[in-house]
Amino acid sequence: MFEGGAPVVKDVVDGADEHLIGEAEKIAVALGRMFPGLCEVVLHDLRDPRHAIRTIENNLSGRRVGDSATELGLARIADPEYPSVLQNYPNRFPDGRPVKSTSIGLKNAAGEYIAALCLNLDVSVLSPVTLALSNLVATETEHREQPLETLRDRNTRELRQTVEELAAERAATPRSLSRQDKKALVRQLYQDGYFDSRDAAQTIADLLGVSRATVYNYSK
């Protein structure tokens, strides 16, 4: 088995690593297909950090197979003692949608991180359900707070939350709203002073999936 020296041993190790990643790939595909449109599942091959993404199911982040590793992947490559599981930490997609993420590092028999399985749950999709449940158990609705009438110096986080709540009132996510509902939502934000915030128009455009020019047109 070891005839020929070290290269044979290396081939055996590489083969075992590839087998492990291949098995993890099956898990990534199965998880992604179990939660279509809701949870992005990404398998990173940390042996090649510049082209780490090996599999991506339910592509919600806009990344592609062959894209580079994230900061967590690089941290695991640099430090074998880095936590193997980081669960339910807050994250965001490039367009600003809130995400709940879990990252699982996979080690080979030598104790080296060779892969990472990452799950990114699109929390914005659940906003309508969350609001509906909140309304269901609420009491003394006549005393419910009206933040749209009292907020001042609104920041980006508050703006995103308001857009998600307004969309949830229509039983939808911001991007799934009809053109008329998006126009009504933008006008509501304009009337309530949200356009006074820096970069508010671009933030609203990203959340609704439209251009910045469209947001300004809707606000007229």
Side-chain angles (χ1 to χ4, degrees), residues 118-192:
C118 302
L119 294 82
N120 301 309
L121 180 67
D122 186 352
V123 180
S124 70
V125 177
L126 304 177
S127 295
V129 177
T130 302
L131 184 63
L133 291 175
S134 177
N135 289 337
L136 181 64
V137 301
T139 58
E140 298 182 2
T141 56
E142 65 271 21
H143 300 301
R144 188 177 300 172
E145 294 181 3
Q146 299 295 329
L148 292 180
E149 298 178 353
T150 59
L151 284 177
R152 295 293 183 273
D153 298 324
R154 302 171 177 90
N155 59 29
T156 301
R157 177 179 297 178
E158 292 168 332
L159 176 56
R160 285 176 175 148
Q161 180 178 352
T162 299
V163 170
E164 290 170 2
E165 289 176 350
L166 290 174
E169 290 174 3
R170 296 169 170 82
T173 61
R175 285 178 169 249
S176 68
L177 289 169
S178 67
R179 181 176 180 274
Q180 289 302 319
D181 282 342
K182 287 181 179 179
K183 182 181 294 187
L185 185 149
V186 169
R187 289 179 177 175
Q188 180 68 54
L189 294 172
Y190 183 83
Q191 293 171 5
D192 292 322

Side-chain angles (χ1 to χ4, degrees), residues 46 70-87 89 91 102-107 111-118:
L46 300 183
T70 65
E71 293 86 348
L72 287 182
L74 296 177
R76 286 191 171 115
I77 293 171
D79 181 10
E81 299 304 317
Y82 196 86
S84 59
V85 177
L86 295 175
Q87 194 158 16
Y89 58 90
N91 212 336
T102 291
S103 177
I104 306 166
L106 303 177
K107 291 182 177 181
E112 302 167 332
Y113 280 116
I114 61 169
L117 183 62
C118 302

